Short mmCIF file of all heavy atoms in Angstrom, two decimals:
data_model
loop_
_atom_site.label_atom_id
_atom_site.label_comp_id
_atom_site.label_asym_id
_atom_site.label_seq_id
_atom_site.Cartn_x
_atom_site.Cartn_y
_atom_site.Cartn_z
N ALA A 42 87.47 111.63 83.15
CA ALA A 42 87.47 110.74 84.31
C ALA A 42 87.22 109.30 83.89
O ALA A 42 87.88 108.38 84.36
CB ALA A 42 86.42 111.20 85.32
N VAL A 43 86.27 109.10 82.99
CA VAL A 43 85.97 107.75 82.50
C VAL A 43 87.19 107.17 81.78
O VAL A 43 87.56 106.01 82.00
CB VAL A 43 84.73 107.75 81.59
CG1 VAL A 43 84.55 106.42 80.89
CG2 VAL A 43 83.49 108.11 82.40
N ALA A 44 87.82 107.98 80.93
CA ALA A 44 89.00 107.51 80.19
C ALA A 44 90.13 107.14 81.15
O ALA A 44 90.80 106.12 80.97
CB ALA A 44 89.46 108.57 79.20
N ARG A 45 90.33 107.95 82.16
CA ARG A 45 91.39 107.66 83.13
C ARG A 45 91.06 106.43 83.95
O ARG A 45 91.95 105.63 84.28
CB ARG A 45 91.61 108.87 84.03
CG ARG A 45 92.23 110.03 83.30
CD ARG A 45 92.33 111.27 84.14
NE ARG A 45 92.89 112.37 83.35
CZ ARG A 45 93.03 113.59 83.81
NH1 ARG A 45 92.68 113.89 85.05
NH2 ARG A 45 93.54 114.52 83.04
N LEU A 46 89.79 106.26 84.27
CA LEU A 46 89.36 105.06 84.98
C LEU A 46 89.62 103.82 84.15
O LEU A 46 90.14 102.81 84.64
CB LEU A 46 87.88 105.17 85.35
CG LEU A 46 87.28 104.04 86.17
CD1 LEU A 46 87.99 103.90 87.51
CD2 LEU A 46 85.80 104.28 86.38
N GLU A 47 89.29 103.88 82.88
CA GLU A 47 89.53 102.75 81.97
C GLU A 47 91.02 102.43 81.86
O GLU A 47 91.40 101.28 81.69
CB GLU A 47 88.96 103.05 80.58
CG GLU A 47 87.45 103.04 80.53
CD GLU A 47 86.91 103.47 79.17
OE1 GLU A 47 87.65 104.09 78.38
OE2 GLU A 47 85.72 103.19 78.92
N ALA A 48 91.86 103.46 81.98
CA ALA A 48 93.32 103.27 81.90
C ALA A 48 93.92 102.82 83.23
O ALA A 48 95.12 102.59 83.32
CB ALA A 48 93.98 104.56 81.43
N GLY A 49 93.08 102.73 84.27
CA GLY A 49 93.56 102.30 85.58
C GLY A 49 94.14 103.41 86.43
O GLY A 49 94.75 103.15 87.46
N ASN A 50 93.96 104.64 86.01
CA ASN A 50 94.46 105.80 86.75
C ASN A 50 93.37 106.31 87.68
O ASN A 50 92.66 107.26 87.37
CB ASN A 50 94.91 106.88 85.76
CG ASN A 50 95.46 108.11 86.43
OD1 ASN A 50 95.48 108.23 87.65
ND2 ASN A 50 95.91 109.06 85.61
N LEU A 51 93.24 105.68 88.84
CA LEU A 51 92.16 106.03 89.77
C LEU A 51 92.30 107.44 90.33
O LEU A 51 91.31 108.16 90.43
CB LEU A 51 92.09 105.02 90.91
CG LEU A 51 91.68 103.60 90.52
CD1 LEU A 51 91.70 102.69 91.75
CD2 LEU A 51 90.31 103.58 89.88
N SER A 52 93.52 107.84 90.68
CA SER A 52 93.69 109.19 91.25
C SER A 52 93.40 110.26 90.20
O SER A 52 92.79 111.29 90.50
CB SER A 52 95.08 109.37 91.84
OG SER A 52 96.07 109.27 90.85
N GLY A 53 93.82 110.03 88.97
CA GLY A 53 93.52 110.98 87.89
C GLY A 53 92.03 111.04 87.58
O GLY A 53 91.49 112.12 87.33
N ALA A 54 91.39 109.88 87.64
CA ALA A 54 89.94 109.83 87.40
C ALA A 54 89.20 110.58 88.49
O ALA A 54 88.27 111.36 88.22
CB ALA A 54 89.47 108.38 87.33
N MET A 55 89.63 110.39 89.74
CA MET A 55 88.97 111.07 90.86
C MET A 55 89.17 112.58 90.75
O MET A 55 88.24 113.35 90.98
CB MET A 55 89.51 110.55 92.19
CG MET A 55 88.84 111.20 93.39
SD MET A 55 87.04 110.92 93.47
CE MET A 55 87.00 109.34 94.27
N HIS A 56 90.37 112.99 90.38
CA HIS A 56 90.64 114.42 90.24
C HIS A 56 89.73 115.04 89.17
O HIS A 56 89.11 116.09 89.39
CB HIS A 56 92.11 114.64 89.89
CG HIS A 56 92.47 116.08 89.73
ND1 HIS A 56 92.54 116.96 90.79
CD2 HIS A 56 92.78 116.80 88.62
CE1 HIS A 56 92.87 118.15 90.34
NE2 HIS A 56 93.03 118.09 89.02
N ALA A 57 89.62 114.39 88.02
CA ALA A 57 88.79 114.91 86.93
C ALA A 57 87.33 114.96 87.31
O ALA A 57 86.63 115.94 87.02
CB ALA A 57 89.00 114.08 85.66
N VAL A 58 86.84 113.92 87.98
CA VAL A 58 85.42 113.90 88.34
C VAL A 58 85.12 114.93 89.43
O VAL A 58 84.06 115.55 89.42
CB VAL A 58 84.95 112.47 88.73
CG1 VAL A 58 85.30 112.11 90.15
CG2 VAL A 58 83.44 112.34 88.52
N GLU A 59 86.05 115.17 90.34
CA GLU A 59 85.84 116.19 91.37
C GLU A 59 85.77 117.58 90.72
O GLU A 59 84.93 118.40 91.11
CB GLU A 59 86.96 116.15 92.41
CG GLU A 59 86.91 114.93 93.32
CD GLU A 59 85.75 114.92 94.30
OE1 GLU A 59 85.02 115.92 94.41
OE2 GLU A 59 85.57 113.88 94.95
N LEU A 60 86.65 117.84 89.76
CA LEU A 60 86.59 119.12 89.04
C LEU A 60 85.27 119.28 88.30
O LEU A 60 84.67 120.35 88.29
CB LEU A 60 87.76 119.24 88.07
CG LEU A 60 89.15 119.41 88.68
CD1 LEU A 60 90.21 119.36 87.58
CD2 LEU A 60 89.25 120.69 89.48
N SER A 61 84.80 118.19 87.69
CA SER A 61 83.53 118.21 86.98
C SER A 61 82.38 118.55 87.93
O SER A 61 81.53 119.38 87.63
CB SER A 61 83.27 116.85 86.31
OG SER A 61 82.01 116.82 85.72
N ILE A 62 82.37 117.90 89.10
CA ILE A 62 81.31 118.14 90.08
C ILE A 62 81.37 119.57 90.61
O ILE A 62 80.33 120.18 90.87
CB ILE A 62 81.39 117.09 91.21
CG1 ILE A 62 80.97 115.72 90.67
CG2 ILE A 62 80.53 117.50 92.41
CD1 ILE A 62 81.24 114.57 91.62
N ASP A 63 82.57 120.10 90.77
CA ASP A 63 82.70 121.49 91.22
C ASP A 63 82.03 122.45 90.24
O ASP A 63 81.46 123.46 90.64
CB ASP A 63 84.17 121.88 91.38
CG ASP A 63 84.80 121.28 92.62
OD1 ASP A 63 84.09 120.78 93.50
OD2 ASP A 63 86.06 121.31 92.70
N LEU A 64 82.10 122.13 88.95
CA LEU A 64 81.49 122.99 87.93
C LEU A 64 79.99 122.77 87.83
O LEU A 64 79.22 123.73 87.74
CB LEU A 64 82.14 122.74 86.57
CG LEU A 64 83.58 123.18 86.43
CD1 LEU A 64 84.14 122.72 85.09
CD2 LEU A 64 83.69 124.69 86.57
N LYS A 65 79.58 121.49 87.82
CA LYS A 65 78.16 121.18 87.70
C LYS A 65 77.91 119.79 88.29
O LYS A 65 78.28 118.78 87.70
CB LYS A 65 77.70 121.20 86.24
CG LYS A 65 76.21 121.00 86.12
CD LYS A 65 75.69 121.22 84.74
CE LYS A 65 74.18 121.08 84.78
NZ LYS A 65 73.59 121.09 83.50
N PRO A 66 77.28 119.74 89.45
CA PRO A 66 77.09 118.46 90.15
C PRO A 66 75.93 117.63 89.58
O PRO A 66 74.87 117.54 90.18
CB PRO A 66 76.82 118.88 91.59
CG PRO A 66 76.22 120.25 91.47
CD PRO A 66 76.84 120.87 90.25
N VAL A 67 76.16 117.02 88.42
CA VAL A 67 75.13 116.19 87.81
C VAL A 67 75.20 114.77 88.37
O VAL A 67 76.22 114.33 88.90
CB VAL A 67 75.26 116.16 86.26
CG1 VAL A 67 75.04 117.54 85.68
CG2 VAL A 67 76.58 115.59 85.83
N LEU A 68 74.11 114.05 88.26
CA LEU A 68 74.00 112.71 88.83
C LEU A 68 75.04 111.75 88.28
O LEU A 68 75.63 110.96 89.04
CB LEU A 68 72.58 112.18 88.58
CG LEU A 68 72.22 110.86 89.24
CD1 LEU A 68 72.37 110.96 90.76
CD2 LEU A 68 70.81 110.46 88.88
N LEU A 69 75.33 111.81 86.99
CA LEU A 69 76.32 110.92 86.39
C LEU A 69 77.69 111.10 87.03
O LEU A 69 78.35 110.12 87.40
CB LEU A 69 76.42 111.14 84.88
CG LEU A 69 77.54 110.38 84.17
CD1 LEU A 69 77.31 108.87 84.29
CD2 LEU A 69 77.64 110.79 82.72
N ALA A 70 78.12 112.32 87.20
CA ALA A 70 79.43 112.58 87.80
C ALA A 70 79.46 112.13 89.26
O ALA A 70 80.46 111.57 89.73
CB ALA A 70 79.78 114.06 87.69
N GLN A 71 78.38 112.34 89.97
CA GLN A 71 78.32 111.92 91.37
C GLN A 71 78.36 110.39 91.48
O GLN A 71 79.03 109.85 92.36
CB GLN A 71 77.08 112.50 92.04
CG GLN A 71 77.16 114.01 92.17
CD GLN A 71 75.86 114.64 92.62
OE1 GLN A 71 74.79 114.04 92.56
NE2 GLN A 71 75.95 115.89 93.05
N ALA A 72 77.67 109.71 90.58
CA ALA A 72 77.70 108.25 90.58
C ALA A 72 79.10 107.75 90.22
O ALA A 72 79.59 106.78 90.81
CB ALA A 72 76.67 107.70 89.60
N LEU A 73 79.73 108.40 89.27
CA LEU A 73 81.09 108.03 88.88
C LEU A 73 82.05 108.21 90.06
O LEU A 73 82.91 107.37 90.31
CB LEU A 73 81.53 108.86 87.68
CG LEU A 73 82.90 108.56 87.08
CD1 LEU A 73 83.01 107.10 86.68
CD2 LEU A 73 83.15 109.46 85.89
N ARG A 74 81.89 109.30 90.80
CA ARG A 74 82.73 109.52 91.98
C ARG A 74 82.54 108.38 93.00
O ARG A 74 83.50 107.87 93.54
CB ARG A 74 82.41 110.86 92.64
CG ARG A 74 83.23 111.07 93.92
CD ARG A 74 83.01 112.41 94.55
NE ARG A 74 81.62 112.66 94.85
CZ ARG A 74 81.15 113.83 95.23
NH1 ARG A 74 81.95 114.87 95.37
NH2 ARG A 74 79.87 113.99 95.48
N GLY A 75 81.29 107.98 93.23
CA GLY A 75 81.03 106.88 94.14
C GLY A 75 81.66 105.58 93.68
O GLY A 75 82.22 104.82 94.48
N PHE A 76 81.61 105.33 92.38
CA PHE A 76 82.21 104.13 91.81
C PHE A 76 83.72 104.15 92.01
O PHE A 76 84.32 103.14 92.41
CB PHE A 76 81.85 104.01 90.33
CG PHE A 76 82.43 102.80 89.67
CD1 PHE A 76 81.85 101.56 89.84
CD2 PHE A 76 83.57 102.90 88.88
CE1 PHE A 76 82.38 100.44 89.23
CE2 PHE A 76 84.11 101.78 88.27
CZ PHE A 76 83.51 100.55 88.45
N ILE A 77 84.34 105.29 91.72
CA ILE A 77 85.80 105.40 91.88
C ILE A 77 86.18 105.23 93.35
O ILE A 77 87.17 104.55 93.66
CB ILE A 77 86.30 106.75 91.33
CG1 ILE A 77 86.08 106.82 89.82
CG2 ILE A 77 87.78 106.95 91.65
CD1 ILE A 77 86.27 108.21 89.22
#
Side-chain angles (χ1 to χ4, degrees):
V43 170
R45 291 174 183 177
L46 183 61
E47 289 175 342
N50 181 357
L51 293 178
S52 64
M55 182 60 85
H56 180 71
V58 81
E59 290 290 352
L60 290 174
S61 175
I62 290 170
D63 285 346
L64 292 173
K65 185 171 183 188
V67 296
L68 187 59
L69 173 63
Q71 292 170 344
L73 183 56
R74 177 176 56 190
F76 180 79
I77 295 168

